[in-house]
Amino acid sequence: KQYLGAKADPAPTLIAAFPGWQYARGHETLILSRFPLRERAERPLGPFRNCLTCRMRLGDRSVRLINVHLNTALHGESLQTDSLNFRRYLPETARVRKTQVEALMRIIEESAGPCIVAGDFNSPPNSFVHQAMTQRFHDCFEQAGRGWGLTYRADLGLWRIDYLFLSSEFAVAHCKVGSTRVSDHRPVWGEVYLP
């Protein structure tokens, strides 16, 4: 089975690895939880990408979960697959992700309370996207990780483009990047608390 072009869909493997957990599934995104999930919805971030949102129950508290996969270009161009030159590609990809993170911020602002935003942001730590997210959220790896935290590619870490962002209600015990090869990205694992 093909998923997003040439990649196999990792969701069945991930769901099987966490038996008994609840999950919410979007077109390109998946949220797994050992706590009850409700209010699942996909919300547009632009013409080609959505984010997956849901609420997780922690006792009498509700935590909003948002999983994203930001696009790198408006029409799906890539330096690997198209004849775009680097000078044309960089401004286009930056503009597209800026539009998507602005749409994400509008979704986040719709409700208050504890929130976790995670996923593939396709942006390094010194980017506009990361700066926009860390104005409101804590970068879990920056708070409690060690090393470079490289998440892409799974076989040879080159970039840190996958994040676990936490609202200020959360405390972080530790964070690390895993080494599993279920996806072409390495997972970000965080142990967090809601005091």
Side-chain angles (χ1 to χ4, degrees):
K1 177 179 176 179
Q2 296 295 304
Y3 178 72
L4 299 177
K7 307 281 188 293
D9 181 359
T13 302
L14 291 168
I15 292 167
F18 296 91
W21 284 35
Q22 293 194 13
Y23 66 92
R25 176 89 196 260
H27 176 68
E28 296 182 326
T29 50
L30 175 70
I31 295 173
L32 290 157
S33 172
R34 43 188 192 109
F35 301 101
L37 296 177
R38 59 186 177 87
E39 298 179 27
R40 177 208 170 279
E42 279 197 280
R43 304 285 303 277
L45 295 178
F48 295 103
R49 292 289 163 102
N50 295 327
C51 65
L52 176 63
T53 68
C54 66
R55 291 204 172 267
M56 175 178 65
R57 288 302 295 172
L58 286 173
D60 62 347
R61 299 186 75 178
S62 176
V63 175
R64 191 166 188 206
L65 304 175
I66 303 175
N67 190 339
V68 304
H69 181 192
L70 297 188
N71 215 25
T72 55
L74 184 60
H75 302 290
E77 293 97 345
S78 143
L79 287 174
Q80 296 174 333
T81 60
D82 294 287
S83 58
L84 292 174
N85 72 39
F86 200 63
R87 290 175 64 184
R88 276 187 40 222
Y89 179 77
L90 283 181
E92 165 70 3
T93 189
R95 183 183 64 77
V96 168
R97 284 197 300 272
K98 180 179 186 287
T99 300
Q100 291 172 99
V101 81
E102 288 169 348
L104 176 61
M105 286 301 174
R106 287 190 295 274
I107 291 168
I108 290 166
E109 290 167 2
E110 291 174 359
S111 64
C115 183
I116 298 173
V117 184
D120 178 358
F121 286 79
N122 268 312
S123 302
N126 62 345
S127 66
F128 170 83
V129 169
H130 188 269
Q131 291 171 12
M133 291 301 298
T134 55
Q135 285 179 6
R136 174 145 183 191
F137 292 89
H138 300 291
D139 179 337
C140 188
F141 189 83
E142 279 185 359
Q143 283 204 330
R146 289 188 180 156
W148 296 100
L150 303 175
T151 60
Y152 181 80
R153 298 176 345 198
D155 59 342
L156 175 66
L158 299 172
W159 299 94
R160 182 160 91 92
I161 60 174
D162 302 274
Y163 301 94
L164 180 58
F165 291 111
L166 310 166
S167 62
S168 60
E169 293 89 349
F170 290 93
V172 182
H174 69 271
C175 185
K176 68 177 183 173
V177 173
S179 60
T180 184
R181 299 274 179 93
V182 174
S183 167
D184 59 339
H185 292 246
R186 296 174 180 175
V188 179
W189 298 92
E191 183 178 342
V192 303
Y193 297 91
L194 188 58

